[in-house]
Every structure is written in C-alpha cells, then in structure tokens.
Amino acid sequence: MLFWRSFTHWIGGMGVLVLTLALLPKLTGRTSHLVRAESPGPSLSKLVPHTGSTAKILYLIYLALTFLEFLALLLCGLSPYDAALHSLSNAGTGGFSNYAASIGAFHSSAVEWVITVFMFLFGVNFALYYKFILEKAGHRLRSFFQDEEFRWYLGICLVFILLLTLFNLNYYEGQFGTSLRYGAFQICSIMSTTGFGAADFASWPVSSHMLIVFAMFFGGCAGSTAGGIKIIRMVLMAKKSSHFIRATGQPRKVEVVRMDGKAVDENMLSQIAVFCVVYFFLVIFGGFLLSLEGRFDITTSFTASLTCVSNVGPGFGAVTGDFAGYGLWSKLVCCFLMLAGRLELFPMLFLFSSSAWKT
C-alpha cells in the first residue's frame, strides 16, 4: 500500500492527462487543451509538433531521472524498496515516505544530498532536459543557463539556502556544514514542493519559518512537477511592477516586459496577474474556512491553506507533521485546495461557475 501511494503521485507528478496522451495520442482532436489543463505554468510549450509525441518525450525524461535517482540511492546504501519508493515520491514531488521521520530516518548525509539534488532537478522545466539531450557535446549546459527562468530558479534557491544556513547557524552551534546541509535540503524540498523532511524545522528560529513560508509561494519552474505559483509568473509580475513604478514618473515612456529577450504579450501578463490574485485570495480564504472549526491558531490555519494550494505538504503549528488533528470539514477543504493547486486553480474554480452546469 505504501508503494502504491508513492506510485500514484509519480503518475500524477507529470499529469494523468499527459500520461493518457502519451499512451493514446489520437484520443481526441483537442489534445493541446487537455495538456494545458494540467500544464504547470502560464503557457504550454510543445517539444515537437505533435502533442502525443511531446507527452512521450516528457515521460521518457521523467522515467530516466527517476531511475537515475533510484541507482544513486542504492549506492548510498538504501534497500531497493526504500530507494524505489523515495525515488517515485521525489520525482512526483509528492514527498511521501514510509517512515514517520521522513528522510531523517536514514541518518545519512549522502542520502540527504542525493535527494536534495534531485528535488532541485525535478523543479526544473523538463523542456530544458530535452534541449540538453539535443545540444552538441561541450555546449549542453548552455541550454540551461540561456533560460532566464532557470537562472532565476537557481539564483533564488542559492540565496534562500545561504540565508537559511545563516539563520540556523546558532541553532546548530556554529556548525556551518550541518546548517548548510539541512538548509539546502529544506529549501529544495519547499521550492520544489516535494515536502520531504530531514530535520525538525518547526524548532528553527522564526526568521527561518518566515523564509520557508516565503519559499512556499514561489514553487519551481513552469513545465516541472513542482507546485506553487511558479518562478516565471513571479519574475514576470516583478518586471511588470517595476515597469509600472517607473511609469509613474515617466507616464509617456513605453516599456515592454521581456522574458529570454522576447516581448511578453500583454494578454499573457493579464492572465498571470489574475492567477496571482486568485492564488493569494484562495490561500487567505482557505485559511478562513479552516479556522471555522476553531481547533487551531492562525499560524496553523494559514500555513495549512498555503501548503495545500502550493502542494508542498508540511506547514507550521499543528500541521508540521500531518493533518490528523483536523475534522471532516477541514479535510474536505484541504482536498479541494490541493486539487485546485495541482490543476492551476481555474479548472477547479470553474465548477462554481453557472456555465459549468448548463446543458
């Protein structure tokens, strides 16, 4: 049963519809619309002209990375069962473990570093791996660093890791290596929305908690298995905000928001702005609905809502380890928030539209 649980979110990591299209590419003439419903990001990018072929390529890359992690964990001394279960769980950024202490149960820095690296890798746009394969030898890393979203993702991860390491330095009695190890693990776990744990982060300083909450909003790259708002949306909104602020003093100046050197369509920026507004509203409203049970404080309610919408897993307060303390009402709310976050909000919210129920 534990293996089946990990396998189900390995399937769901890349998307059930994407798997269906990979197996049955001629299922429908509107395949691109089906893939878009589960595409984690503001737009759908095809690797090849046919959507079914794109789905196959994505799943082959997904399977290859999962197998590489499985081999790496075997070399670290894990049993084939544990290695397989955690590889599947990591690939789908689901974060389930067959141990209550999660990755901390292994007491192995090698296992933690391997999982840290792969959590980061599964937060990268899978289209970049395809470009990496097609590039000539000696120039393959160029495909990653030419991508602006990847540069932001890498930079944000490194900055957050450094900050968390410094914030926790006194907690780990000045041991920089230990603080770095747990800081890197937790930031990659949160940014990729995997949700694995290697240390008791609930006992870390408040500044570390705030940084982790901040990281929950970001998520990974578009086209990855990660949840969250996605780096590309955050970057584009930051650029648009910067342009708007500058336009306050220079109203006649026209500036275009660019990503990878290309102008971004204003309609796309409007869609992203709406997504971000709805995202923040859903987190706040979800926290309000969870508070109606009256069982826990505002920290628990807010982080429970945020971690569900972002598909991270752990929160703070009473939901640091699990959600067992919540009743039926709150669990149903959490189920809805998790599904909404996984399906990029709008497909689930559309159910509340009157047009969804018209014949």
Side-chain angles (χ1 to χ4, degrees), residues 292-316:
L292 294 178
E293 275 197 357
R295 299 193 183 196
F296 303 115
D297 58 16
I298 188 172
T299 299
T300 299
S301 298
F302 174 75
T303 58
S305 177
L306 173 58
T307 197
C308 285
V309 177
S310 295
N311 293 161
V312 177
F316 289 103

Side-chain angles (χ1 to χ4, degrees), residues 76-214:
C76 291
L78 264 61
S79 67
Y81 175 75
D82 284 342
L85 190 145
H86 288 88
S87 296
L88 293 171
S89 188
N90 195 357
T93 59
F96 282 145
S97 173
N98 54 330
Y99 297 98
S102 191
I103 307 304
F106 299 116
H107 303 290
S108 169
S109 59
V111 169
E112 289 170 16
W113 278 116
V114 166
I115 290 179
T116 298
V117 169
F118 277 95
M119 284 191 295
F120 176 85
L121 293 177
F122 282 110
V124 175
N125 189 336
F126 275 64
L128 295 181
Y129 295 124
Y130 184 63
K131 292 179 181 178
F132 175 83
I133 295 169
L134 296 181
E135 281 283 356
K136 296 179 181 178
H139 299 87
R140 287 182 170 170
L141 288 178
R142 183 175 58 184
S143 59
F144 288 96
F145 291 98
Q146 284 180 338
D147 185 80
E148 187 174 351
E149 184 186 20
F150 175 79
R151 295 197 302 269
W152 277 102
Y153 175 56
L154 177 62
I156 291 170
C157 279
L158 291 177
V159 170
F160 278 15
I161 288 170
L162 178 60
L163 289 175
L164 193 58
T165 300
L166 295 176
F167 291 165
N168 291 339
L169 205 53
N170 288 334
Y171 180 84
Y172 289 108
E173 300 177 347
Q175 299 178 32
F176 185 84
T178 302
S179 185
L180 175 63
R181 166 185 158 194
Y182 289 124
F185 183 95
Q186 205 59 55
I187 288 299
C188 288
S189 176
I190 297 299
M191 288 286 289
S192 67
T193 68
T194 305
F196 276 139
D200 181 19
F201 62 85
S203 62
W204 286 353
V206 176
S207 56
S208 298
H209 292 178
M210 291 302 298
L211 189 65
I212 289 172
V213 169
F214 194 42

